[in-house]
Amino acid sequence: MKRPARARKVRWGLALAALVLLALAAAFLMWRPAIAPQAAHSAAKRVDQVVVQRGANLARLGMCASCHTADPSRPFAGGLGLETPFGTVYSTNITPHAPTGIGDWNLAAFDRAMRQGVARDGHLLYPAFPYPHYTKLAQDDMRALYAYFMTRPAIAAPARENQMRFPFGFRPLLAFWNLLYLDQSPWRQDSGQSAAWNRGAYLANTLAHCSACHTPRTLLGGPDLERRLEGGEAEGWYAPALNAHSPSPLPWTQAHLAQYLRSGIAPGHAIAAGPMQEVTIQLGRADGADVAAIATYIHGYLKAAPARATPAQADGPLPAPDDRDPDLARMRLGYDTYAMACASCHEAGRGPGSGAALQLQKAVALYDPDPRSLIRIIRQGIAPPAGEAGRWMPAFGAVLGDAQLTALAAYLRRYGAQAAPWPELEQAVQQARKP
């Protein structure tokens, strides 16, 4: 009787020792010293305006305003909630307001945050801030970004508290995450590629961090690098694959991709929606040659998508359901909903200067491997941010019930894309109703 009791004590002792070792390892890995604050605005007095303008372009390429601006009248003041599978992370104030922003950060503190995800006071940042991409930035670009942000108007905006699910609010876990996923090796050019391709590769993989949304994530939230650019998600939207697995029903050309990145619209392709809309607004203000370089690089992957016959090659309205359809009742409801809500704009087809919409057999959301983007587009519509130009689509979330929306998505998938039904479509529609 004594041996089992002794064995249990030994096991508990080993488990306790393992926990202590893990805690010590976490403390060792996460500890970073605070960097002494600098006098407010001391950096701004020394900067060259040419460098500032270069930093402005880099900030646009990095879409910094998209995440760090909740109120357009308070640019870069943070406060925007970013939904992640682990909770909501609120962006922080990156204006030079010393008490609440980065006004007392010197270049070393800024550089450490950008490359290692460590704030000036030494606490670890969540990788919703894409420091794993910024870590490979050239030092001159880092200086230019710092100069740009340090010359923005200072705005008082205290950080909001993140709302993380247990146990992800425990920041020492980030030390292990960094150990697994933070690659701080320097950026290297590919001598076998053109200068434009290399410029695009650098921008896409550092500032623009394209793969952050367009690459699947592991269970721990790290990038699944074996499936790079194979499609991911962003704030509840499906971010389509940008490689040979692209669901696009029509092939992309480099020119059309460059046009899309700068304007959110290109011939034969759906307009940008969801988080991608903000990306295109920022890229539309960036240097055109840089955006063209990104398109050159990304198109190098997209063009690997095999040619395939899709309904997008044909024009015309979507058909009524076949009377022999095994899911006829739902398809008829979907078709009736399409005729009531969609057909008047989408059947007309998009002209160069028309306000009409893309014929739906060309819409990539019908071909995505999951229905999240289509459901969100139908429910939320598409509207440019306040004060921005752009095409729009009305929201039908308050008009259509779950049965109608589910039937419409099922109908569009079958008769628009001629693709196999989405599994668990009903659950996806219900999930999209949650805030």
Side-chain angles (χ1 to χ4, degrees):
M1 294 295 289
K2 290 183 178 177
R3 286 183 178 174
R6 186 176 301 153
R8 279 198 299 273
K9 286 183 179 178
V10 170
R11 284 197 295 270
W12 277 107
L14 290 173
L16 185 61
L19 284 174
V20 170
L21 284 174
L22 279 174
L24 289 173
F28 174 76
L29 289 170
M30 76 170 289
W31 182 82
R32 294 290 187 278
I35 294 177
Q38 68 173 3
H41 305 301
S42 62
K45 295 175 182 174
R46 300 192 296 269
V47 295
D48 180 336
Q49 286 305 308
V50 174
V51 177
V52 171
Q53 290 308 310
R54 183 156 160 260
N57 180 55
L58 294 170
R60 291 171 192 133
L61 291 166
M63 287 78 71
C64 304
S66 301
C67 290
H68 286 278
T69 302
D71 177 353
S73 68
R74 294 161 58 83
F76 302 116
L80 190 70
L82 303 174
E83 300 294 335
T84 79
F86 310 102
T88 302
V89 179
Y90 288 93
S91 61
T92 53
N93 182 355
I94 55 173
T95 73
H97 185 258
T100 64
I102 61 172
D104 58 2
W105 292 34
N106 60 18
L107 176 59
F110 182 79
D111 186 285
R112 186 175 71 169
M114 292 285 281
R115 295 190 193 279
Q116 301 177 34
V118 182
R120 187 194 63 75
D121 64 3
H123 79 265
L124 301 186
L125 303 172
Y126 285 105
F129 170 59
Y131 61 87
H133 298 266
Y134 302 152
T135 192
K136 296 184 185 303
L137 273 173
Q139 194 58 42
D140 283 350
D141 287 346
M142 193 69 78
R143 291 193 192 96
L145 279 169
Y146 178 73
Y148 174 67
F149 288 120
M150 282 301 181
T151 51
R152 298 307 91 205
I155 299 173
R160 295 186 62 180
E161 188 172 348
N162 299 317
Q163 298 172 350
M164 308 302 291
R165 283 189 278 278
F166 180 81
F168 304 109
F170 187 54
R171 285 189 187 259
L173 292 176
L174 294 171
F176 292 105
W177 193 94
N178 287 339
L179 205 60
L180 290 172
Y181 297 112
L182 181 59
D183 173 11
Q184 294 183 272
S185 60
W187 174 255
R188 297 189 187 283
Q189 294 208 1
D190 184 338
S191 60
Q193 297 286 352
S194 67
W197 188 96
N198 272 300
R199 176 66 175 166
Y202 169 72
L203 293 172
N205 287 294
T206 58
L207 277 170
H209 57 281
C210 303
S211 65
C213 295
H214 291 276
T215 293
R217 295 275 168 179
T218 67
L219 288 175
L220 297 177
D224 184 349
L225 296 179
E226 293 186 356
R227 301 169 62 200
R228 192 168 171 280
L229 297 180
E230 205 167 300
E233 67 172 83
E235 299 172 51
W237 292 69
Y238 173 72
L242 300 178
N243 59 11
H245 297 277
S246 166
S248 179
L250 291 174
W252 283 92
T253 66
Q254 188 275 339
H256 284 171
L257 182 60
Q259 182 178 345
Y260 176 83
L261 291 177
R262 282 187 66 79
S263 66
I265 190 168
H269 296 280
I271 61 176
M276 191 62 198
Q277 190 182 52
E278 270 292 330
V279 172
T280 60
I281 287 171
Q282 294 299 318
L283 293 183
R285 297 166 177 162
D287 181 88
D290 281 340
V291 179
I294 293 174
T296 297
Y297 170 71
I298 295 295
H299 187 255
Y301 289 91
L302 272 175
K303 69 183 181 184
R308 56 195 172 100
T310 70
Q313 272 95 16
D315 291 326
L318 300 190
D322 191 315
D323 288 342
R324 296 164 296 178
D325 194 303
D327 194 13
L328 185 58
R330 185 160 73 160
M331 290 300 127
R332 280 180 171 164
L333 176 59
Y335 177 71
D336 290 344
T337 307
Y338 162 77
M340 180 265 293
C342 315
S344 61
C345 289
H346 285 282
E347 286 190 356
R350 181 200 293 161
S354 77
L358 190 72
Q359 290 185 325
L360 284 174
Q361 61 268 40
K362 303 182 194 304
V364 66
L366 275 61
Y367 299 80
D368 286 346
D370 75 49
R372 283 177 294 174
S373 293
L374 178 64
I375 293 168
R376 285 183 177 271
I377 291 169
I378 296 170
R379 281 186 50 76
Q380 301 172 12
I382 300 174
E388 300 287 346
R391 296 195 178 200
W392 67 278
M393 172 187 139
F396 290 94
V399 178
L400 302 180
D402 281 1
Q404 284 176 299
L405 202 161
T406 304
L408 175 59
Y411 164 78
L412 293 175
R413 175 74 167 174
R414 181 170 298 179
Y415 288 92
Q418 295 179 8
W422 281 304
E424 301 178 345
L425 176 60
E426 290 82 359
Q427 292 90 328
V429 169
Q430 293 168 9
Q431 185 69 27
R433 282 197 177 279
K434 296 179 181 177

